[in-house]
Amino acid sequence: MLEPEQRTPKPILRQVVGWVVVLPLMASFVRLPFPLSLPLVLGVIAAAVYGVRFAWRHASRRVTVLAFIVTLLNLVSLVAIGYFSILTASLSALQGLLVPVLLRMAVLEFLRTERIRPQETQFPSKQMKLQ
């Protein structure tokens, strides 16, 4: 590990981010049946652990702690929700929370505007024919 006052070189930082964040995110978009997805999940977890180990050896303490926290969150996400990327899990949870709220807001806004609008005849063309 580098000394606390030393900065992590850019190539090392990119490699750590690739192993810990990008690889699990990319692998979470692949949908495979159960027997085939198990080696993929185990490989992603092993790659994230390797990213933490790589950060421990070559990066600063901040980068190492960040890589460890993200890997830990990915593992918790895998066990709790079934997604092995915390980014994909949070996106899924956000969609599950926001879609019903936004739909309800749209329906309420529609109902509010319908009450304010003055009553109109449903078929103006029939009224024109009668006159």
Side-chain angles (χ1 to χ4, degrees):
M1 192 179 307
L2 296 175
E3 295 298 321
E5 58 271 353
Q6 288 181 323
R7 294 179 58 91
T8 303
K10 292 274 185 188
I12 301 293
L13 182 64
R14 287 187 190 123
Q15 193 167 358
V16 170
V17 168
W19 285 114
V20 174
V21 177
V22 176
L23 185 67
L25 180 64
M26 287 175 52
S28 67
F29 292 124
V30 175
R31 298 285 176 223
L32 295 173
F34 172 69
L36 298 176
S37 65
L38 190 59
L40 178 68
V41 169
L42 294 176
V44 166
I45 292 170
V49 170
Y50 171 74
V52 171
R53 185 172 164 239
F54 185 81
W56 183 269
R57 291 184 175 187
H58 301 290
S60 66
R61 195 169 293 154
R62 267 186 179 165
V63 174
T64 304
V65 168
L66 182 66
F68 180 74
I69 290 172
V70 170
T71 301
L72 194 64
L73 287 174
N74 283 343
L75 286 173
V76 168
S77 169
L78 174 65
V79 171
I81 303 174
Y83 291 103
F84 45 90
S85 172
I86 189 67
L87 296 174
T88 308
S90 61
L91 179 66
S92 174
L94 191 65
Q95 285 177 344
L97 292 174
L98 280 184
V99 168
V101 169
L102 292 176
L103 184 63
R104 183 172 181 217
M105 286 174 52
V107 167
L108 289 175
E109 180 65 24
F110 176 75
L111 291 175
R112 187 182 68 79
T113 57
E114 285 296 316
R115 281 191 222 136
I116 294 173
R117 188 179 301 165
Q119 293 288 358
E120 297 176 0
T121 57
Q122 289 183 351
F123 306 103
S125 60
K126 286 185 179 180
Q127 290 228 345
M128 294 176 112
K129 288 181 183 177
L130 293 175
Q131 292 176 354

